[in-house]
Amino acid sequence: MASRACLWSLVMGVMVTLLSGGIASGQNAAAGDAWQVPRTPDGRPDLQGVWTNATITPFERGTNLAYSGISVPESAADKTVFTEEEGALFATLTAENREANFGYIGRAQQLDASTHLLSTRQTSLVVDPPTGRVPVKAWAEADRDNNRARERDDYRHMSVWDRCMTRGIPGSMFPAGYNNAYRIIQMPDVVVILYEMIHDVRVIQMDDRPHLHDRVRQWMGDARGHWEDDTLVVITTNYNDRGMIASSGGGGRIKGVPVSKALHVVERFTRTSADEILWEVTIKDPEVYEGPWTVSMPLTRNPDYVMFEYACHEGNRDVPLLLEGRIAEESSE
């Protein structure tokens, strides 16, 4: 009964915070005034709402535009920022390519992968190292390649996304071909993020309690948050070693790279305007990478976006069909 009472208290707290947070935000943004960071009743920046990050911006510099079918030209391969003209051209070419290959009723038209670069026009999601490339160790790339080559042989070689386990942290924040929405809810002692993809819910404790014991390992790790001025900083540790740093095609060569128990993730959420939050994440995993690396991107507010339940397990036919297909192939040989 005590656990039910705690859950009910949490739910009621979320509802109260949503209502009062909206009132507080309105009080801070009078018509005609210069924009100011909206704040919750306890004075913290208000990050609440539904935010999206669908984009064709490549994960790493110099690689193909994600979900676009368009290659980054050599003339732009070493840039850190695309020009406005390049951004407009890539958007037009992406839209034309999808229409030519899929048509209005095709699968690509049903996705919400966007046809545009991020508003920053950065040439990759990876902003550090300065090369815009992730310093993956050779053994981790070999492990990725082995799993990709054998994913129809055994479910254990499939991605954790295909198996409806989780996209992990920070993988759940990396843009995919669809369902790129995140609902943030704040209370003084907890921040909750609902990820549309796989319907994961992440509860970030905002008090000074220590991380879980080192022996306790979780798919999404153990998160602790605190404020540094107006930036929400979230430190996540205690990962198991069964996940992947990225599981969607938008990750390019990073899709399928494994994680180890040494994975250490630091995220920063900074409200930069009425319609954007700057999200930055630094990944450290000395078992997997030659050094730390950082992804940075804006999250865009979309109050009209409707998040539906992502019933992954209930509708998942990928795993049995892929395995059955391989068995059928082998039987016909």
Side-chain angles (χ1 to χ4, degrees):
M1 295 298 293
S3 60
R4 291 184 180 179
C6 291
L7 179 59
W8 178 249
S9 177
L10 176 63
V11 171
M12 292 301 295
V14 168
M15 295 177 65
V16 171
T17 303
L18 282 172
L19 292 172
S20 59
I23 296 172
S25 298
Q27 292 172 341
N28 273 356
D33 290 348
W35 182 82
Q36 296 180 359
V37 177
R39 298 190 180 273
T40 59
D42 63 341
R44 297 302 186 182
D46 192 342
L47 308 179
Q48 297 178 110
V50 174
W51 307 83
T52 61
N53 64 351
T55 184
I56 60 172
T57 300
F59 196 87
E60 294 184 287
R61 188 172 308 155
T63 56
N64 289 352
L65 298 166
Y67 308 105
S68 172
I70 307 300
S71 299
V72 174
E74 289 187 9
S75 60
D78 294 326
K79 290 183 176 181
T80 57
V81 178
F82 293 119
T83 65
E84 288 188 30
E85 293 75 17
E86 287 170 332
L89 175 61
F90 296 157
T92 299
L93 292 176
T94 297
E96 291 176 350
N97 181 66
R98 290 184 186 169
E99 168 61 18
N101 286 281
F102 298 98
Y104 283 107
I105 61 172
R107 184 170 182 267
Q109 296 297 332
Q110 300 172 22
L111 307 185
D112 58 356
S114 175
T115 58
H116 293 78
L117 299 169
L118 294 172
S119 62
T120 55
R121 300 198 311 277
Q122 62 198 71
T123 56
S124 63
L125 302 185
V126 177
V127 297
D128 190 68
T131 58
R133 303 281 290 181
V134 180
V136 186
K137 289 187 175 181
W139 80 264
E141 291 191 309
D143 185 83
R144 171 206 62 199
D145 294 344
N146 177 60
N147 282 323
R148 285 190 177 184
R150 301 177 61 191
E151 63 180 8
R152 296 179 64 200
D153 297 337
D154 190 303
Y155 71 90
R156 287 169 292 188
H157 292 293
M158 294 180 182
S159 82
V160 290
W161 180 14
D162 289 333
R163 293 164 58 195
C164 294
M165 304 295 290
T166 180
R167 292 178 68 213
I169 299 297
S172 290
M173 294 294 295
F174 294 157
Y178 54 96
N179 293 134
N180 294 293
Y182 314 86
R183 181 181 294 279
I184 300 177
I185 301 169
Q186 282 174 257
M187 288 172 282
D189 57 346
V190 68
V191 173
V192 178
I193 303 178
L194 170 62
Y195 301 88
E196 184 175 26
M197 186 73 80
I198 301 193
H199 218 64
D200 269 332
V201 178
R202 185 182 183 203
V203 178
I204 302 167
Q205 302 292 341
M206 296 295 294
D207 53 26
D208 58 358
R209 73 183 67 185
H211 281 280
L212 297 175
H213 191 282
D214 186 65
R215 289 179 295 181
V216 180
R217 298 286 168 169
Q218 304 184 126
W219 286 98
M220 298 179 72
D222 181 48
R224 296 290 181 271
H226 65 274
W227 292 96
E228 293 182 2
D229 296 324
D230 282 348
T231 295
L232 171 62
V233 180
V234 182
I235 300 173
T236 307
T237 62
N238 292 73
Y239 290 92
N240 64 34
D241 56 359
R242 292 176 285 171
M244 296 176 174
I245 200 68
S247 55
S248 68
R253 73 183 182 103
I254 304 306
K255 177 184 177 180
V257 170
V259 303
S260 81
K261 293 181 178 179
L263 178 61
H264 185 277
V265 173
V266 179
E267 299 166 273
R268 290 178 170 82
F269 297 78
T270 307
R271 187 79 181 262
T272 55
S273 72
D275 295 317
E276 287 190 341
I277 291 174
L278 178 62
W279 177 74
E280 299 174 293
V281 60
T282 298
I283 295 103
K284 296 181 181 179
D285 192 338
E287 302 282 334
V288 179
Y289 308 106
E290 299 292 350
W293 52 284
T294 299
V295 163
S296 176
M297 75 180 84
L299 307 177
T300 302
R301 181 173 175 268
N302 189 344
D304 298 324
Y305 193 102
V306 178
M307 294 176 65
F308 293 98
E309 179 187 0
Y310 190 91
C312 193
H313 280 288
E314 294 85 345
N316 187 1
R317 293 291 296 156
D318 276 357
V319 173
L321 288 176
L322 288 170
L323 297 179
E324 290 167 6
R326 174 54 59 88
I327 293 173
E329 289 176 354
E330 293 174 346
S331 299
S332 64
E333 292 177 354

